[in-house]
Amino acid sequence: MRLEKIILFIGLWFLSDAIFAQTEIRELENLRSELNQLIGRFDAQVGVGVKHLESGDTLTINNYFQYPTQSVYKFPLALAILKEVDLGKLTIDQKINITKEDLHSNTWSPLAKEYPNGNVDLTIEQLLSYTVSKSDNNTCDILFKILGGPKEVEKQMRDWGYFNIAIQTTEVEMHIGGDSAQQANWCQPFELIQMLEDFYLGKLISEKSTKILMLQMIETSTGEKRIKGLLPKKTITAHKTGSGNKVVNDVGIITLPDGTHLILSVFICNAKEEYEASEELVAKISKATYDFFVN
């Protein structure tokens, strides 16, 4: 009789676990349905990756497409630079002389506005801050040059096990080469989710380097109307944006009110909608996902 009760208990335990899993799946499908409704009304190619870090709940929409990264690729660039710092090949306070030839005026560059004639020394940390927090294209290419070019960053991604991402051209090359050069830098939304998770968990770079990059992503001043756009004002969001011809992207780590973390990536390309409408869509996707995991 006792053995029968044990068997019954085990059977009920597995049944309840299965019912719970089915409930979780159904609830995620509710979120998927809501996001698909938002995306379905929008004339563009839209990809979404979602992961609640602590629970492992995961969702993707239109993941298997090569979305142009634009400036989102400055996040893996920063990881590659900080890996070199951790290896002792660079130091975070190492100064790099910036010449006038390093600064192109026909691109997004807060640094060029501050120092139009160059002739300034910046540390690696300062270059990273301009590149990540301000999305400066000139400092991006300076960092690429320090590493030996975009393909060296891609090689580091392969070494870490990321194969659904390509990093082939600099900001200058994208500007000159147009769409084809821009499309040479691409990723799938969930690849960025995995990269952000590994980064946050300290699997890619040292704890010190992780803290530096997290702070710079939190201080990001671009894309205020994207992932952060409809979230509560004090929500801590570490993110990196990317923008280009018919392209609006944002990826990041959102700290929820209970202290858990939501990792989100949204990529929009081939958009026939207005630029502002694309940003609004990112904000709506972010808010719907945030509300789902908060409520």
Side-chain angles (χ1 to χ4, degrees):
M1 186 68 178
R2 184 168 180 270
L3 180 59
E4 290 176 354
K5 288 182 178 179
I6 292 173
I7 292 173
L8 177 62
F9 172 79
I10 293 174
L12 290 171
W13 184 81
F14 278 113
L15 179 62
S16 64
D17 192 52
I19 291 171
F20 177 76
Q22 290 172 2
T23 301
E24 288 292 298
I25 291 170
R26 282 197 298 269
E27 288 180 353
L28 280 173
E29 287 308 307
N30 289 339
L31 175 60
R32 181 188 300 278
S33 177
E34 184 175 359
L35 297 184
N36 275 326
Q37 286 181 26
L38 290 171
I39 293 169
R41 295 192 290 264
F42 203 79
D43 194 355
Q45 176 71 37
V46 183
V48 178
V50 175
K51 185 166 187 178
H52 182 253
L53 181 60
E54 284 74 14
S55 70
D57 287 344
T58 301
L59 180 153
T60 62
I61 297 174
N62 300 330
N63 184 58
Y64 298 107
F65 184 85
Q66 295 180 355
Y67 295 88
T69 53
Q70 294 292 347
S71 288
V72 167
Y73 82 162
K74 292 169 183 173
F75 168 61
L77 166 60
L79 288 173
I81 284 286
L82 288 168
K83 181 66 176 179
E84 295 295 287
V85 171
D86 291 342
L87 292 172
K89 297 179 181 180
L90 298 171
T91 61
I92 200 69
D93 57 355
Q94 178 178 334
K95 290 188 176 181
I96 307 295
N97 181 253
I98 311 301
T99 67
K100 187 172 183 178
E101 289 70 29
D102 292 320
L103 302 177
H104 301 275
S105 59
N106 60 344
T107 191
W108 172 255
S109 181
L111 180 64
K113 291 181 179 180
E114 292 178 50
Y115 303 97
N117 295 315
N119 193 29
V120 60
D121 292 332
L122 295 181
T123 65
I124 293 292
E125 186 170 9
Q126 288 173 316
L127 287 171
L128 282 170
S129 180
Y130 274 98
T131 302
V132 176
S133 300
K134 300 178 182 179
S135 207
D136 193 297
N137 292 337
N138 283 319
T139 58
C140 173
D141 281 358
I142 291 167
L143 291 176
F144 271 135
K145 185 177 180 181
I146 289 171
L147 289 177
K151 292 183 181 180
E152 289 301 310
V153 179
E154 183 180 88
K155 182 178 181 296
Q156 179 61 69
M157 297 303 107
R158 299 290 181 266
D159 291 344
W160 277 328
Y162 305 118
F163 294 94
N164 296 314
I165 184 170
I167 301 173
Q168 295 283 314
T169 56
T170 64
E171 289 287 351
V172 166
E173 289 168 341
M174 283 199 287
H175 183 77
I176 295 172
D179 287 346
S180 61
Q182 293 172 33
Q183 291 166 2
N185 304 315
W186 61 266
C187 71
Q188 293 177 352
F190 196 68
E191 195 77 326
L192 261 294
I193 295 293
Q194 292 177 305
M195 194 182 299
L196 284 163
E197 177 181 3
D198 290 343
F199 156 66
Y200 184 79
L201 294 177
K203 295 180 179 180
L204 304 181
I205 53 179
S206 68
E207 182 180 357
K208 180 180 178 180
S209 292
T210 298
K211 287 180 178 178
I212 289 171
L213 185 49
M214 271 294 293
L215 181 59
Q216 290 180 349
M217 292 174 72
I218 290 170
E219 292 175 343
T220 291
S221 58
T222 59
E224 290 292 311
K225 295 181 180 180
R226 299 185 194 180
I227 283 179
K228 296 172 64 175
L230 297 174
L231 300 185
K233 293 299 182 183
K234 294 184 179 181
T235 302
I236 298 173
T237 306
H239 69 123
K240 184 69 201 82
T241 58
S243 310
N245 182 27
K246 301 179 182 179
V247 172
V248 171
N249 305 327
D250 203 0
V251 305
I253 304 168
I254 303 167
T255 302
L256 301 179
D258 64 357
T260 62
H261 302 87
L262 174 63
I263 307 176
L264 177 65
S265 65
V266 184
F267 289 84
I268 300 174
C269 65
N270 303 328
K272 296 180 181 178
E273 310 275 356
E274 294 294 328
Y275 179 85
E276 292 76 12
S278 292
E279 289 200 307
E280 184 180 9
L281 177 61
V282 176
K284 287 180 177 178
I285 290 171
S286 176
K287 182 64 163 58
T289 307
Y290 175 93
D291 288 346
F292 174 83
F293 284 102
V294 168
N295 298 327

